[in-house]
Amino acid sequence: MAEVAADAAAPAPALQKSVEVPGVSPSQLTSDALVQTDPQRRFIRTAAADFQVKDVYRTALAIEDEVAKQGGFVVDNDIQAQVQRVQSRSIGNGKRLELAEYRLQGALTVRVPSERTQVFLRAIASQMEFLDSRNFNARDAQFDLLRQQLARQRAQDAQQELGAAVQAGGKLGDKADAIQARGDARTSRDEAVIAQKEFEDRVAFSTITLSLSQDVQIRTRERVDVDAVFRDNGPGFFRQLGDALAVGWRGGQQAVVALSALWPLWLVVLAVVIGWRRWRRKPVAG
C-alpha cells in the first residue's frame, strides 16, 4: 500500500513540447549535384527554388548583395503585385473606402560561379520563411564540348583549304565561288567559336532561378465616389421632371409623324371597316 501511495504522489512526467524553428535550414538547399567534380567531365549546373519570405523587396536586395559577394551577377529581377480581391464602400462626402487584397511575387534569375552555387544557396536560406520546392541539376556536357571543338576544327580546316584554292588561281567564276565559300567558312568558324564560348560560360557559371512570395497584404485608400459626385451635383427634381416631359413630348411628336407616314394603310383599314359595316346592314333574303 505504501508503494501505491508513493506512486500516486509522484508527479506525472512532463510532456515534451515540440519547438518549431522558423525559417529554412541550409541543409534543405544542399545537394551533391552542386558540388560533385570529375576531371574527365564538364558539368552545367542549374538550380531553382520556390519559397516564401517576409518582405519580397528586402529579400530581393539581400539576394543581389549575396550574388555580388559570390562573384556572380543578376540576369533578371521582376517583382509584381497581384491583386486578388477588391472591395469598396461609400463613406460620404463624395468618397469611397477601397480595400485591395494583394500578394507580392518576385522572380530572380542569377548567375554565380559554378563552384560557389551551393555556398550561395546556403547563404540565402536565412532569407526564406518556408521552402515550397527546390530543384538541382548537373548535366554532364563533355560530349557537347567535344562536338563544339570538332565543329570549330572543321571550320578552320575548310577555311585553310579554300584559301589555298583561291591562291591557286583558275577561272574567274570558280575563284569567285571559292571566295564566297571561304566567307561562309569564316562565318561557320565564328559561330563555332561563339558557341564554344557560350558553352564554357554555362559551365563556369551556374544559372539559378528563384521565385519568392510573401503573405497576403491589404491596401487601404480613399477614392473619389464618382457616382455620388454626379448625383449630388446633378439637376434637381423639377429640372429632371421638365426634361422628362420634354423628352416625352418629342417622342409623341415623332410617333405621330411615323403614323402619318402610313396613311395608305389607314385608307385600306377604313375601306375594310366601311365595307364590313355595310355588309352587316344588308337585309337577308327570306
Side-chain angles (χ1 to χ4, degrees):
M1 295 294 293
E3 294 178 359
V4 174
D7 293 340
L15 296 177
Q16 186 176 3
K17 296 182 179 180
S18 60
V19 179
E20 183 179 354
V21 180
V24 174
S25 171
S27 61
Q28 295 179 257
L29 297 170
T30 302
S31 173
D32 289 341
L34 302 179
V35 295
Q36 59 188 353
T37 58
D38 187 336
Q40 303 298 325
R41 300 180 184 277
R42 305 292 299 277
F43 293 104
I44 295 178
R45 291 187 172 91
T46 58
D50 188 347
F51 51 92
Q52 300 176 20
V53 299
K54 287 184 178 179
D55 190 310
V56 168
Y57 285 102
R58 290 184 179 180
T59 302
L61 292 176
I63 291 175
E64 289 186 342
D65 292 341
E66 187 62 33
V67 170
K69 182 179 178 180
Q70 299 299 333
F73 57 94
V74 178
V75 177
D76 183 56
N77 185 341
D78 182 21
I79 298 177
Q80 296 182 356
Q82 296 185 349
V83 179
Q84 300 179 345
R85 182 174 55 172
V86 177
Q87 293 183 353
S88 65
R89 63 179 178 85
S90 176
I91 56 176
N93 297 325
K95 299 288 186 179
R96 293 188 68 87
L97 178 63
E98 181 181 271
L99 301 178
E101 176 185 349
Y102 70 96
R103 180 187 295 272
L104 279 177
Q105 293 186 332
L108 281 80
T109 303
V110 301
R111 303 283 307 280
V112 298
S114 185
E115 68 277 4
R116 306 292 296 174
T117 302
Q118 184 158 277
V119 176
F120 166 75
L121 291 173
R122 291 171 65 91
I124 66 173
S126 60
Q127 302 292 333
M128 304 178 184
E129 290 291 303
F130 183 79
L131 181 61
D132 294 311
S133 65
R134 58 48 152 200
N135 176 268
F136 306 134
N137 182 269
R139 184 172 66 86
D140 182 9
Q142 59 173 325
F143 297 108
D144 292 339
L145 176 60
L146 178 60
R147 186 176 296 107
Q148 297 294 341
Q149 292 174 344
L150 293 175
R152 182 179 180 182
Q153 186 61 46
R154 287 196 304 270
Q156 291 177 348
D157 294 342
Q159 183 182 356
Q160 292 175 359
E161 293 173 358
L162 289 170
V166 171
Q167 294 177 358
K171 296 182 179 180
L172 181 61
D174 296 339
K175 191 172 183 179
D177 293 340
I179 293 175
Q180 178 65 36
R182 189 179 184 186
D184 295 340
R186 287 175 177 173
T187 301
S188 300
R189 178 204 59 188
D190 295 342
E191 292 296 333
V193 171
I194 294 173
Q196 185 172 354
K197 292 295 183 181
E198 289 178 345
F199 172 82
E200 293 174 353
D201 178 74
R202 293 173 62 193
V203 171
F205 285 80
S206 61
T207 302
I208 305 173
T209 303
L210 303 172
S211 300
L212 48 154
S213 61
Q214 67 184 70
D215 290 338
V216 172
Q217 299 183 74
I218 301 297
R219 181 188 64 191
T220 303
R221 64 174 179 174
E222 292 185 2
R223 299 185 61 182
V224 176
D225 191 341
V226 179
D227 294 336
V229 172
F230 275 100
R231 183 175 59 252
D232 295 341
N233 294 275
F237 170 76
F238 292 104
R239 175 65 181 276
Q240 295 183 43
L241 179 61
D243 293 341
L245 292 175
V247 171
W249 174 251
R250 289 193 295 270
Q253 291 178 329
Q254 293 177 359
V256 172
V257 172
L259 292 175
S260 300
L262 300 177
W263 64 267
L265 178 61
W266 303 129
L267 291 179
V268 172
V269 172
L270 180 61
V272 171
V273 170
I274 294 175
W276 180 71
R277 287 184 176 182
R278 288 183 177 179
W279 178 79
R280 288 195 60 185
R281 293 175 181 178
K282 185 177 181 180
V284 180

